[in-house]
Amino acid sequence: MHVEDRMELRFHEGAQSAGTHENLSAIRQDGPYLWIAGDETATIERLTSRDGVYDDQRTFDLADFVDLPAGRDAEADIEGLARTDGWLWAVGSHSLKRRRLKPGHSADKARRRLATVLREENRFVLVRLPLRDGVPVRADGRRRAAVLSGDDNLADMLSGDPHLAPFLKLPGKDNGLDIEGIAARPDEHGDRLYVGLRGPVLRGWAVLLEIRPATHPRDPSRLRLAEPYRTHFLDLDGLGVRDLCPYGDDLLILTGPSMDLDGPVRVVRWRNGSTGGVVAATDLETVTELPYGRGEDHPEGLAVLDDGRLIVVYDSPSPERRTAAGVYADLIRLD
């Protein structure tokens, strides 16, 4: 299995100036549209297939549809997108972050920054948006945009979890809690979501949460969990989850290091992903190894296109991946 071709994703000048095309973290197809999110904004983007490229970018601010806990301008660090019939889901990383070191910092300043851990509330959101004619709306009849956030956010729900609670105070890049993928499966009770964790990785085992969000009975603009969450532990050879994508009855899992490392990066297939709990390596199939660079070209999002090919987008694209109007995504033929 190897990269078969490339597809250009074109962005408008404002998005290019903001660096949106350089920070792609999530992707999902919706007929002629490609939904994309970056991890430096509180927006989602929609591109349209046209003459062999994805073009005609439209930007949608999440704050136009739901109340964000930190307001419109603070980034939401959207790391996963999922789509079911008539709905679009977006999830933030739910991670803490440690201050970065920058060239020129004195030793004392570097020490202070490494000791500073920040919590940004817009990262702790799960958003559900109704779609009408390929456009997210606040309301469509009885269907309402809604958010899980604030005191009800997913991270705080794990405060009593025997496996994950010890990692809630750690930044995501320190093997703390870090959501980086979401996949949805509809059934007669609504949408069941799989939420993939880049971290923590527990003695080499990656973690997925299985949740069923539903509209809050007292506030249609809010979500709550309709049933207790479940945890699944997968032997991904020490790697964490970078994205998830449904593939028939299976789940495709984009895997990569939990820490601030470049690779390795693989796509793994979990057959009949609704079963499990503790999933051994023998129950997982490596679909393909993905290319990655040193400090660049980090695979962050994947989706299956209508023609059966897998599309992969990259954070921190290399010069060879950049175009005059955007970036190239990779296309991979699935057997």
Side-chain angles (χ1 to χ4, degrees):
M1 191 81 60
H2 61 279
V3 175
E4 176 185 86
D5 201 354
R6 286 182 166 184
M7 175 75 72
E8 186 180 6
L9 312 181
R10 295 178 179 174
F11 295 82
H12 57 59
E13 291 183 3
Q16 293 178 51
S17 299
T20 300
H21 64 305
E22 299 175 351
N23 298 288
L24 302 182
S25 57
I27 185 172
R28 196 63 85 232
Q29 190 188 27
D30 182 10
Y33 305 123
L34 201 63
W35 293 104
I36 290 180
D39 57 14
E40 300 290 337
T41 69
T43 65
I44 53 176
E45 320 296 329
R46 195 195 73 183
L47 305 181
T48 301
S49 179
R50 188 199 314 267
D51 299 327
V53 303
Y54 279 99
D55 201 349
D56 192 26
Q57 179 197 359
R58 289 189 62 183
T59 297
F60 300 93
D61 289 89
L62 293 176
D64 288 340
F65 310 101
V66 298
D67 292 331
L68 296 179
R72 175 179 297 272
D73 297 325
E75 73 172 53
D77 195 23
I78 298 300
E79 292 286 355
L81 295 173
R83 184 190 63 80
T84 56
D85 186 24
W87 298 100
L88 182 68
W89 295 87
V91 67
S93 66
H94 288 68
S95 66
L96 305 177
K97 70 177 186 179
R98 193 177 300 279
R99 297 291 296 273
R100 290 177 182 265
L101 300 189
K102 297 181 181 179
H105 283 166
S106 67
D108 286 343
K109 187 169 185 178
R111 287 176 179 272
R112 290 195 301 272
R113 290 181 71 89
L114 282 177
T116 302
V117 175
L118 304 174
R119 175 173 172 135
E120 298 175 346
E121 288 300 323
N122 273 7
R123 291 172 167 237
F124 293 75
V125 298
L126 172 67
V127 177
R128 185 189 67 185
L129 301 177
L131 296 174
R132 185 170 60 204
D133 298 326
V135 175
V137 294
R138 183 178 284 271
D140 181 26
R142 298 181 62 183
R143 302 189 310 142
R144 294 282 300 274
V147 62
L148 189 70
S149 65
D151 294 338
D152 298 323
N153 74 79
L154 282 174
D156 290 351
M157 290 180 189
L158 301 173
S159 60
D161 189 274
H163 301 98
L164 301 176
F167 297 89
L168 297 181
K169 294 183 178 180
L170 293 176
K173 301 302 184 288
D174 294 357
N175 201 39
L177 182 72
D178 192 0
I179 292 174
E180 286 216 2
I182 186 172
R185 280 220 176 100
D187 59 29
E188 65 274 15
H189 302 294
D191 285 347
R192 184 170 73 247
L193 302 183
Y194 291 90
V195 178
L197 306 187
R198 176 175 177 173
V201 172
L202 308 178
R203 198 175 176 91
W205 291 77
V207 185
L208 269 70
L209 303 176
E210 183 181 340
I211 62 175
R212 188 185 295 279
T215 303
H216 198 289
R218 295 189 300 274
D219 185 351
S221 70
R222 306 283 303 175
L223 295 168
R224 69 171 186 174
L225 294 193
E227 58 189 43
Y229 69 86
R230 296 177 60 199
T231 49
H232 300 275
F233 302 93
L234 284 74
D235 185 356
L236 298 179
D237 196 25
L239 301 177
V241 177
R242 293 294 184 90
D243 202 7
L244 298 171
C245 178
Y247 187 55
D249 292 331
D250 306 336
L251 279 180
L252 297 180
I253 307 171
L254 178 62
T255 71
S258 63
M259 312 293 273
D260 193 14
L261 301 171
D262 293 316
V265 185
R266 305 183 184 109
V267 178
V268 172
R269 185 174 184 173
W270 179 19
R271 294 186 181 273
N272 299 312
S274 61
T275 62
V278 178
V279 184
T282 52
D283 296 320
L284 300 165
E285 171 192 343
T286 297
V287 175
T288 186
E289 302 274 346
L290 287 176
Y292 60 90
R294 299 192 61 179
E296 61 187 17
D297 274 356
H298 298 146
E300 288 283 341
L302 82 166
V304 177
L305 300 178
D306 288 340
D307 65 6
R309 291 184 296 179
L310 189 67
I311 184 169
V312 180
V313 294
Y314 291 75
D315 189 12
S316 303
S318 64
E320 293 77 15
R321 191 172 293 280
R322 301 170 189 260
T323 70
V327 292
Y328 286 118
D330 284 343
L331 298 175
I332 298 168
R333 178 69 62 182
L334 293 171
D335 294 334

